[in-house]
């Protein structure tokens, strides 16, 4: 506990530069362990209470799902909100999952640096039966987080019943937490969806209930291309998320989530209007909840990954420092992109043929079939082509987990072979690094399609590859994609650079995303269910 208080006092306190007392305690109530930081008294330098008695204050409860692509993005958005407007504080409900055991060091670091953020660890729940994950990851994840609903309700009820608490202005829910809209409704609170994917994907989710009411069943690869409002071009079914064709719970899970989208009071999207103008404009139809484009929301300080013991940070950054400018191709496939031995060999051969330097974040498919993680005893050198490591020498580096954002911002990186997770796309654009597309799971095929066919912002390697298909992409194709994405004067590189500049302007004062965030803040503060929240301390 002393450690924690020390951490707090060391942390930045840009909102209340005055002396303050913090109370940190844990207690257990109704089976919910509340792990709270209360900022109950704040004193000005003159010793008198600060004059914010007239200031309307608001607390938002964030319910993100763990997993790098969702959790970090939601936390960064919470940080942006409280750094933009000091009337806000955030309580984050932390759902611990066996799929993503790495959130604790990150949470500790957040509590030390963010004075308007508190984290409540919800009690653990039993994961769904493990065989279900092999049938549909999305179904499994949805089931897992639905089990937390009673704990979410207990935690929020407790917060609301505390007369000293800052009034709750609403819930900010992750995609997989949308069923928790029912909790918000029951408690009379508005819900906002925080979407960690792009506006193109939002168009698909808004369309799915219509598909379900008309067709009532899963998509088939042989179905005709789809006319989606968020895409200029017809969209092949093969680039839709695998879940919508999945007959073992995936389709049902997606429909269940999609049906809740229009019940949100607002949809906050981690994109910016200059990136997906066609999609963003398509939502102004009077039937879709207001869409707030607030991105790119990125972990610019690398706070999440600096806490990870998987990061061999110094070694990787030192190696990058020693490479010439724009000479390195970076390969990284998200938090769940894994390969089996034959595919690893082909990637290695492709890299070797291309002649380019490389940084390769590689996670092997475990022999026990579990997702993610590293090799279960198999040595990497047993899998790689014979003599590969000797021939490559200092020309390449292989790691299990790369500090991706930092690597992409390094001058030596010239191109990115990516699984096209939405965060990875935003990070590459922010750093003006062109992507070659190798989508693997979730909505990555749709992202890749959008980047290549709609926006001309990526080099096409694959658009409809699926990790679960077991197909092996051959070295020749990988070599070709690497050579193409590493070209120095390509049109794609020029466009990515322009878009990168736009992405930085979007989040500056007066930029499109800043304005959108301002509209969101006004909506939260002026919500009719939140009229009397003046705190008189
Ligand atoms: N990431 C990282 N190092 C890795 C793999 C992933 O830093 O080796 C980060 C990456 O920068 C991004 C996030 O993890 O912020 C992955 O999110 P994304 O949406 O790209 O993919 P997902 O993991 O959700 O499929």
């Amino acid at each position: 506990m002393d450690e924690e208080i020390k951490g707090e006092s060391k942390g930045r306190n840009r909102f209340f530069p005055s002396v303050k007392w913090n109370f940190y305690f844990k207690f257990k109530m109704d089976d919910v362990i509340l792990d709270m930081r209360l900022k109950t008294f704040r004193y000005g330098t003159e010793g008198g209470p600060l004059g914010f008695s007239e200031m309307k204050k608001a607390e938002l409860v964030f319910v993100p799902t763990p997993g790098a692509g969702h959790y970090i993005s939601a936390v960064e958005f919470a940080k942006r909100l409280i750094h933009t407007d000091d009337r806000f504080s955030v309580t984050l409900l932390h759902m611990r999952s066996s799929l993503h055991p790495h959130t604790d060091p990150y949470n500790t670091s957040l509590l030390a640096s963010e004075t308007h953020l508190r984290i409540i660890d919800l009690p653990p729940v039993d994961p769904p039966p493990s065989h279900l994950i092999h049938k549909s990851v999305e179904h499994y994840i949805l089931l897992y987080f639905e089990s937390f609903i009673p704990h979410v309700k207990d935690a929020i009820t407790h917060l609301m019943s505390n007369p000293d608490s800052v009034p709750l202005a609403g819930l900010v829910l992750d995609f997989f937490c949308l069923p928790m809209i029912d909790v918000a409704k029951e408690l009379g609170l508005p819900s906002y969806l925080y979407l960690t994917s792009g506006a193109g994907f939002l168009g698909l989710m808004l369309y799915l209930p219509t598909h379900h009411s008309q067709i009532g069943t899963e998509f088939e690869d042989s179905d005709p291309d789809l006319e989606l409002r968020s895409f200029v071009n017809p969209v092949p079914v093969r680039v839709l998320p695998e879940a919508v064709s999945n007959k073992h719970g995936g389709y049902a899970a997606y429909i269940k989530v999609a049906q809740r989208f229009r019940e949100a009071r607002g949809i906050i999207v981690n994109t910016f209007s200059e990136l997906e103008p066609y999609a963003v404009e398509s939502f102004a139809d009077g039937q879709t909840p207001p869409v707030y484009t607030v991105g790119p929301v990125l972990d610019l300080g690398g706070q999440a990954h600096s806490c990870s013991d998987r990061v061999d940070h110094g070694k990787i950054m030192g190696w990058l420092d020693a490479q010439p400018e724009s000479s390195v191709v970076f390969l990284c496939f998200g938090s769940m992109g894994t390969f089996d031995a034959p595919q690893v060999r082909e990637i290695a051969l492709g890299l070797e043929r291309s002649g380019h330097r490389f940084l390769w974040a590689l996670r092997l498919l475990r022999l026990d079939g579990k997702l993610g993680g590293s090799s279960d005893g198999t040595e990497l050198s047993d899998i790689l082509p014979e003599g590969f490591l000797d021939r490559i020498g200092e020309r390449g580096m292989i790691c299990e987990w790369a500090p991706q954002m930092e690597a992409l911002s390094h001058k030596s990186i010239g191109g990115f072979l990516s699984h096209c997770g939405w965060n990875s796309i935003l990070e590459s654009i922010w750093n003006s690094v062109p992507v070659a597309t190798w989508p693997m799971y979730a909505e990555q095929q749709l992202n890749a399609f959008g980047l290549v066919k709609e926006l001309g912002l990526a080099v096409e390697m694959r658009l409809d590859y699926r990790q679960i298909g077991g197909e092996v992409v051959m070295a020749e194709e990988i070599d070709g994609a690497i050579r193409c994405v590493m070209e120095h004067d390509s049109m794609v590189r020029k466009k990515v650079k322009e878009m990168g500049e736009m992405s930085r302007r979007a989040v500056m004062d007066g930029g499109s995303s800043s304005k959108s965030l301002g509209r969101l803040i006004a909506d939260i503060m002026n919500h009719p269910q939140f009229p009397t929240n003046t705190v008189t301390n």
Side-chain angles (χ1 to χ4, degrees), residues 68-69 305 332 334-335 361 363 401-402 404 419 421-424 427 441 444:
H305 302 300
C332 192
S335 51
R363 282 183 294 287
W401 183 267
Q404 178 170 300
H419 78 314
W422 190 250
N423 292 284
S424 296
E427 289 164 13
Y441 54 90
Q444 292 146 18

Side-chain angles (χ1 to χ4, degrees), residues 29-30 34 154-165 168:
M29 220 198 86
D30 298 338
L34 293 173
D154 284 352
I156 299 173
T157 307
H158 180 78
L159 289 174
M160 292 177 80
S161 66
N162 181 349
D164 296 328
S165 285
L168 293 193

Side-chain angles (χ1 to χ4, degrees), residues 67-70 72 196 305 330 332-337 361 363 399-405 408 418-425 427 441-444:
H70 288 239
I72 298 165
T196 53
H305 302 300
F330 177 45
C332 192
F333 304 91
S335 51
M336 300 209 294
R363 282 183 294 287
C399 58
E400 190 185 318
W401 183 267
Q404 178 170 300
M405 183 64 188
L408 285 171
S418 168
H419 78 314
C420 299
W422 190 250
N423 292 284
S424 296
I425 287 174
E427 289 164 13
Y441 54 90
E443 91 297 7
Q444 292 146 18

